[in-house]
Amino acid sequence: MKIRDMRESDWPDVYQLIEDNMFEMQRALGLKWHRDNIIRYFKNRSILVATDRNKFSGFIAFHQIDDYHFIDSLQVAKEDQNGLVGFRLLKASLLRVATSPEIQKICCCVFDNNTAAKQMYFSVGFTELSRSDGILKIEIPVSHLTERFGLQRAIKEVHNLIQ
């Protein structure tokens, strides 16, 4: 599996994966679906994509705000779920945090009806902050996740390179 920065040519795959994974969940919560708004929102985010033998497997979209690394979306193709794609994308985005020592927490929102996503996040140590209208806000300290993924050494090397 290869994880890389998103290219402009990846937009059709990214959007299709969002629709495949999220359309029914959003509809079940009574939320509206606006293709153009979704694309516009994600165009302002950092995005890493996962491919396996030139097949699009998933992506993670994120941005930094204050002392948070905020995960806007972590999507994995249905046939690749319950494997390691989501964890690898999460780790790859976490390595990006290594260049921002002011980032202390990782935060995201997940639909309460998205059992697979909740299981993945809670299995690595995320905790629930709040719950509103079917959406959970969850977080984990960066230090806990770097320890869980064994990334302390890699992050230390990044810090040494940028000093």
Side-chain angles (χ1 to χ4, degrees):
M1 174 187 312
K2 181 179 178 182
I3 296 178
R4 59 172 171 75
D5 287 316
M6 186 180 141
R7 300 177 188 138
E8 189 65 28
S9 61
D10 293 320
W11 276 111
D13 291 324
V14 166
Y15 175 78
Q16 190 59 55
L17 186 54
I18 294 169
E19 185 175 286
D20 291 348
N21 287 349
M22 304 308 295
F23 181 79
E24 290 301 323
M25 281 185 225
Q26 276 198 230
R27 202 165 86 185
L29 292 171
L31 301 172
K32 295 189 186 293
W33 189 267
H34 297 287
R35 182 184 194 281
D36 293 338
N37 290 349
I38 290 168
I39 292 172
R40 193 174 309 113
Y41 177 82
F42 283 105
K43 289 235 179 196
N44 293 318
R45 302 300 183 243
S46 297
I47 300 177
L48 300 174
V49 299
T51 58
D52 190 19
R53 296 182 199 108
N54 295 323
K55 180 185 124 340
F56 191 82
S57 298
F59 75 91
I60 187 167
F62 54 92
H63 70 282
Q64 273 69 44
I65 185 167
D66 299 326
D67 64 341
Y68 281 92
H69 175 71
F70 192 88
I71 300 168
D72 297 284
S73 190
L74 173 56
Q75 300 290 327
V76 177
K78 291 193 188 308
E79 61 272 12
D80 293 320
Q81 291 178 1
N82 300 318
L84 297 175
V85 176
F87 291 110
R88 288 179 177 159
L89 284 164
L90 187 57
K91 283 172 73 171
S93 80
L94 184 57
L95 287 172
R96 297 287 175 99
V97 175
T99 60
S100 304
E102 69 275 3
I103 302 296
Q104 298 297 309
K105 297 177 184 176
I106 299 173
C107 183
C108 68
C109 294
V110 63
F111 290 129
D112 195 24
N113 59 358
N114 189 342
T115 305
K118 289 190 316 186
Q119 286 176 337
M120 188 211 59
Y121 286 121
F122 291 142
S123 75
V124 296
F126 278 79
T127 57
E128 183 178 325
L129 289 176
S130 63
R131 182 182 300 243
S132 177
D133 299 325
I135 298 173
L136 306 179
K137 185 174 183 180
I138 59 177
E139 76 171 15
I140 188 171
V142 169
S143 60
H144 291 181
L145 201 54
T146 56
E147 184 177 316
R148 168 85 171 148
F149 286 152
L151 297 174
Q152 301 94 322
R153 185 171 151 215
I155 289 174
K156 191 174 195 176
E157 289 173 8
V158 169
H159 283 284
N160 289 338
L161 286 174
I162 60 175
Q163 289 180 350

